[in-house]
């Protein structure tokens, strides 16, 4: 780290500061300028010690230098991580589309959607049975009774499933059926849940928090990896800003920034960001152009009747059209895109 | 709700829209203007139905009218709620200061701090044994072994304790010792945890999420109240903005806005907002002037040695001075302020 | 507009409110619900009258319904506006790339860059002689002495030029040489400058303010159009958020949202948003995929020696490579892309 | 500054980097750690050179150390600046209240308001004749014809006037009548206007931009001071965030942060921040408690008829009551507060 000393600090206080830093186990290198003194500090360090140094007399501010994510960072593992979910490889050359309804509402609705999206190129089927809702008066998902639906539809369609986990007590139960455990934006900093998922070996889709920095997203991934589970897929899904025309502001620069810092795969959820089906296709295409490894898209047979997130769910016809258009952008990005069943193309 | 119809929608589509709205169980009142048609809708409604209507052909947008927080809102309970914690009444005339270290680090550190803050007018002692930390490599609290320290210090000092709960599986255990269960900013939308606390009758200090609107804070409170626990204290602790000079931006307008909308008491945490002990006194005074019912302040016997949040913790001398100054502001606000032990004043 | 009446307002106050609204020249339609009363209001209205109504007794809030941008809106002109600058058509099928240095530093630097970008497919050359800088101690541009450089290079290269105008007193002078007047993000709400540009017929590139909503961007465009100048090109260039990994957060949803609301062309500036040349290509590709009509890209022969914005300027080699890659994305988007001189491709 | 070198940079590239830095006129001090190398750099530096260094091979990031505001900073002038406007001293012990309507609408409205606020303790009368409005279809002020009203009312009431300047061509004209030139939030980064005001010696009230950091506010002040005008009053008026319950989020931490960094006086505008008269008193009191030197408050004889900002304007009765309440908070803050005419108190 680098310690910047307050202007006007007396030489005696600077000397004490250097001594205190050395006492903490660091090797301080002071540099005395005309206007400013800085102390470069070498040694392994944790956040606590940085916080300690911030409180010492004479310290104006402390600039950390090392990335705090040892395990998620490219510095320790330069080559990209490819996560295998059944036959699907996430983070490899193929653009992986995960699609389906926000919530599982019934066996019919789920099976119909799963069949449709799979027949048009989706490689993983989304659908949650536990839904975090802002108001307790809204539909919260089918809960345990949805588990059998997940199991049955998965068997019938033969594709992996991604589904949200909210409660650390449900991790084990869900992991038996669900192929990819989704940790939603509201739970990105729910470290109890992250740790629990870290103790499994289940692939995990970790969404960026609504106001989380990319740095914090990487630290949240670190919570999972530190438990032994390296199968973390990062997901940009929009951040909260002052702009009200869309539900959230999709931060597509997250894709190249994360790619530069971590070896983990990065996908994008254009549906939650837009909050409006009308804007989903433009954002989905842009995500692929920005270098995303995959997409998470909400689709519903009858968005008007959806119990959750209807306004942002694509109708089947629009999903089909989007999948056709995405192929060209995947090619321009030097990626492959699944060939859906011939009759639909 | 009010449905605003897209410009240029044909009369036929408008007629179908009105019919569909009626089918959903509402009573629609269309108003036809020269440029725009709107449909006012009367009837009980849930978020799902609003979402459904948003997806109907011809709908430009839907404006909800009723507050979705039935239980937390002033509309159902105009008089303020006063929450009793031992001898302390929160939401009454007295400004209640809750103070102590961020984390319990040892029996000595916690006892020393508790004695000091109580002798200077704090009415509730803060101190957590479970700490959510952004990085898994940082100190996470003493966990279960801290429980005995909490119990012992509480008995010795004779004052109620507020302490954070992170895991729904810990609610019961903590509720046996801790007087006020704190739900931190990162967990404001952890609905699993909110529900679990809602099933106790334990007073609960609910912090606003880092990027939560006041509306969402009230809905989170609703999650607790709906379970049967009405003892919710709301806490403004700063929101995330682009400004980097402070850790968060304290939104003091939250105090009058919340007071206008809810009957629940509202306190302010100036320590986390500032992130820097230097700015805490100004914000603490401002919070009282804005009408807060209390304050949550971090204090540490040796901030330089704190394992968590040292930079924002007040030294004992600064805490003592602040408590003296606050008295004048409490008086100007027409509130009472505890008289600390004579020898210290 | 729709007026939402406060819960508990007495029938007498509601009656007075209705009367006052009628006095203001509107036709009020009250709808009485069990819990809430709303008043739908028909008639032409200005912001002042909305503000007036907000202050009347019994009013909880007022929801405007009509778009306030009459001239920029699609409601009055559904077909897209194509802006012609010399031979270049902005808003038509071709993706128009505007490239060059942030600031004109010398005749050599500007000519070299202009030749290079034009030979690789740029259709408009950027370069400013007036630069707004956050600190008064930084380089502010060549000012009047740069005007001759602009004139000379434009003649030599034979391509239109886009250059920033800061001062209403410079509009006329710049308009003689410059083909597209750029209004920077800091000046989006400088209504004096907008009006002055509105009184010319010069094409104008209007950048979104750092924290402007899309609604405000359209109202700023309205300021120019209302003066008689319809040649407004809108430009998304990133908004300010809490995220610090990039200079600004590029809001690509702005492209489909603006396209839905206005007939004006929309381009994207990935350079200022990224603040870092490394992330510019990903954002440039994403912008085209999102439906932008063009790009504004900073390029410099020697970014290390640039007087302004070096870190975000592409080196020539990187610009050349990006232009090659963009062609594929333009094709996937159903757009044309200029064929640069054969020798370079 | 401190240069942080990318992990894995070869010793040869580091050596070249050190050489380049030296070529730029700096004295580099490299410190080699196990994981990271940093280069501390001593010497006078401008933003350009920092930008140059950012682009050099091997550079991960550059941390500036010196404050870029030489003239506004406490480092060069530790004692507070007191600005004298007629008999009023801003930045001294007295809390200075500036009050009046947002816009001058007529001689009657302005005179009535001026008399009222002055008789209740306001020391400066606000009122603008040029108003920046988001939409060109709204009332823009009385313009030149308002000048005579300002002159007449000022003479009649005998108090200084603060009024907004929008156009650099109006600075001279306004400075003849107006005592304090106000630069609004939208123009904080209108450097043309700042420079023009810097060339006068007129006291200037500089409002923080809607999304400006405190650092940028100080740099904007620097633009004025560098021209020779040191009479700059800074004004916090709320920043734009995601919260929609208030018009802006008042950042009261700005007061202690600015006080720590600059010698200039700092006042607060609670009216624009709140956007709602109901919340203005709480924020006004909080501002004084936070250490502000004064307040800028909107008042109107008939807020319902105001042409601008009616919803946030206090009625006379509410203003009178607020002024009475503020006295107690000023006393608690160790400040004096003007004694209004006896009959009203």
């Amino acid at each position: 780290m680098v310690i910047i000393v307050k202007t006007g600090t007396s030489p005696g206080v600077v000397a004490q500061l250097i001594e205190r830093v050395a006492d903490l186990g660091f090797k301080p290198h002071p540099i005395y300028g005309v206007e400013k003194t800085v102390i470069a500090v070498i040694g392994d360090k944790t956040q606590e010690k940085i916080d300690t140094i911030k409180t010492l007399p004479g310290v104006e501010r402390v600039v950390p230098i090392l990335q705090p994510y040892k395990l998620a960072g490219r510095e320790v593992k330069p080559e990209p991580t490819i996560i295998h979910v059944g036959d699907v490889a996430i983070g490899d050359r193929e653009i992986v589309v995960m699609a389906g309804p926000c919530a599982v509402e019934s066996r019919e609705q789920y099976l119909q959607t799963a069949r449709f999206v799979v027949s048009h190129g989706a490689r993983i089927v989304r659908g949650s049975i536990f839904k975090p809702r802002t108001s307790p008066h809204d539909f919260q998902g089918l809960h345990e009774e949805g588990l059998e639906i997940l199991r049955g539809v998965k068997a019938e369609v033969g594709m992996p499933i991604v589904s949200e986990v909210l409660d650390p007590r449900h991790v084990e139960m869900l992991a038996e059926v669900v192929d990819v455990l989704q940790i939603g934006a509201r739970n990105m900093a729910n470290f109890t849940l992250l740790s629990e998922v870290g103790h499994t070996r289940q692939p995990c889709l970790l969404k960026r928090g609504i106001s989380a920095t990319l740095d914090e997203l990487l630290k949240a991934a670190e919570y999972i990896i530190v438990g032994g589970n390296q199968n973390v897929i990062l997901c940009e899904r929009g951040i909260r800003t002052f702009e009200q025309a869309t539900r959230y502001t999709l931060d597509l620069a997250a894709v190249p920034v994360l790619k530069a810092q971590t070896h983990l795969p990065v996908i994008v959820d254009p549906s939650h960001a837009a909050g409006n089906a009308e804007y989903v296709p433009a954002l989905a295409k842009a995500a692929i152009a920005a270098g995303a490894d995959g997409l998470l898209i909400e689709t519903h047979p009858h968005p008007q009747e959806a119990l959750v997130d209807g306004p942002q769910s694509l109708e089947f016809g629009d999903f089909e059209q989007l999948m056709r258009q995405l192929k060209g952008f995947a090619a321009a990005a030097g990626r492959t895109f699944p060939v859906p069943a011939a009759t639909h193309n």
Side-chain angles (χ1 to χ4, degrees), chain A residues 103-179:
Chain A
V104 175
E105 296 167 15
S106 69
R107 186 179 153 80
E108 292 63 39
Q109 167 250 18
Y110 194 52
L111 181 59
Q112 185 187 359
T113 312
R115 277 185 175 146
F116 185 83
V117 299
V118 166
S119 74
H120 288 84
R123 300 295 301 265
I124 296 185
V125 181
R126 62 165 296 162
S128 290
I129 59 176
F130 296 98
K131 288 303 309 170
R133 303 300 302 276
T134 306
S135 164
H137 308 300
D138 292 333
F139 174 67
Q140 314 278 325
L142 292 181
H143 290 190
E144 280 78 353
E145 74 171 289
L147 209 58
E148 281 318 298
I149 300 179
L150 287 184
R151 201 191 308 265
V153 169
K154 180 180 158 181
E156 201 147 340
V157 178
M159 274 288 175
I161 277 177
V162 54
S163 194
E164 183 160 2
V165 58
L166 295 179
D167 189 325
R169 294 166 295 196
H170 295 162
V171 169
E172 203 180 334
M173 174 184 78
L174 279 167
E176 279 175 28
V177 178
V178 164
D179 302 277

Side-chain angles (χ1 to χ4, degrees), chain A residues 104-315:
Chain A
V104 175
E105 296 167 15
S106 69
R107 186 179 153 80
E108 292 63 39
Q109 167 250 18
Y110 194 52
L111 181 59
Q112 185 187 359
T113 312
R115 277 185 175 146
F116 185 83
V117 299
V118 166
S119 74
H120 288 84
R123 300 295 301 265
I124 296 185
V125 181
R126 62 165 296 162
S128 290
I129 59 176
F130 296 98
K131 288 303 309 170
R133 303 300 302 276
T134 306
S135 164
H137 308 300
D138 292 333
F139 174 67
Q140 314 278 325
L142 292 181
H143 290 190
E144 280 78 353
E145 74 171 289
L147 209 58
E148 281 318 298
I149 300 179
L150 287 184
R151 201 191 308 265
V153 169
K154 180 180 158 181
E156 201 147 340
V157 178
M159 274 288 175
I161 277 177
V162 54
S163 194
E164 183 160 2
V165 58
L166 295 179
D167 189 325
R169 294 166 295 196
H170 295 162
V171 169
E172 203 180 334
M173 174 184 78
L174 279 167
E176 279 175 28
V177 178
V178 164
D179 302 277
V180 180
L181 292 171
Q182 178 178 320
I183 295 179
R186 287 183 184 82
N187 281 311
M188 190 204 83
N190 180 345
F191 303 126
T192 301
L193 185 62
L194 296 177
S195 294
E196 204 72 36
V197 171
H199 292 125
T200 73
R201 294 298 170 270
Q202 205 75 5
C204 162
L205 194 164
L206 177 64
K207 287 193 164 187
R208 182 183 187 180
I210 293 175
S211 68
T213 61
L214 296 173
D215 188 66
E216 289 168 341
L217 174 59
L218 287 169
K219 285 173 184 156
E222 192 86 357
Y223 259 97
I224 299 170
I225 302 175
V226 88
N229 186 355
Q230 308 208 26
N231 300 308
V232 182
I233 304 155
L234 303 174
C235 180
E236 162 63 28
R237 46 78 72 206
I239 56 174
R240 179 162 277 176
T241 71
F242 57 84
E243 178 58 62
Q244 308 290 308
T246 44
R247 195 169 173 191
Y248 299 98
T249 297
L250 189 67
D251 176 15
L252 280 179
V255 179
V257 170
L258 288 173
K259 287 280 176 189
Q261 296 195 21
T262 181
H263 49 84
L264 299 171
V266 180
I267 71 165
V268 170
D269 172 354
S271 303
H272 278 84
N276 185 331
E278 185 180 352
Y279 307 135
V280 168
L283 295 180
K285 296 169 195 171
I288 290 181
D293 295 308
L295 295 169
L296 187 67
I297 297 177
E298 289 191 354
T299 335
H300 196 283
H302 308 288
Q304 295 95 314
E305 295 167 12
L307 295 181
V308 185
D309 285 346
Q312 71 202 34
S313 295
L314 292 183
E315 294 188 7

Side-chain angles (χ1 to χ4, degrees), chain A residues 55-112:
Chain A
T55 68
L56 297 176
V59 175
E60 184 177 303
R61 62 198 164 101
V62 175
V63 181
I65 289 168
L66 288 177
Q67 281 189 344
Y69 18 92
K70 306 272 185 212
L71 304 169
R74 274 221 186 266
E75 299 198 348
V76 291
K77 179 171 182 295
E79 73 280 6
T81 290
I82 296 171
I83 296 175
H84 295 276
V85 182
D87 291 344
V88 186
I90 301 162
D92 206 348
R93 281 202 64 214
E94 185 181 285
I95 299 287
V96 174
V97 175
M98 313 182 186
C102 187
V104 175
E105 296 167 15
S106 69
R107 186 179 153 80
E108 292 63 39
Q109 167 250 18
Y110 194 52
L111 181 59
Q112 185 187 359

Side-chain angles (χ1 to χ4, degrees), chain A residues 1 24-27 41-46 49 66 70:
Chain A
M1 85 195 81
L24 286 165
F26 297 110
K27 197 168 159 196
V41 170
I42 290 173
D44 194 24
K45 59 210 128 297
T46 59
K49 289 200 173 169
L66 288 177
K70 306 272 185 212

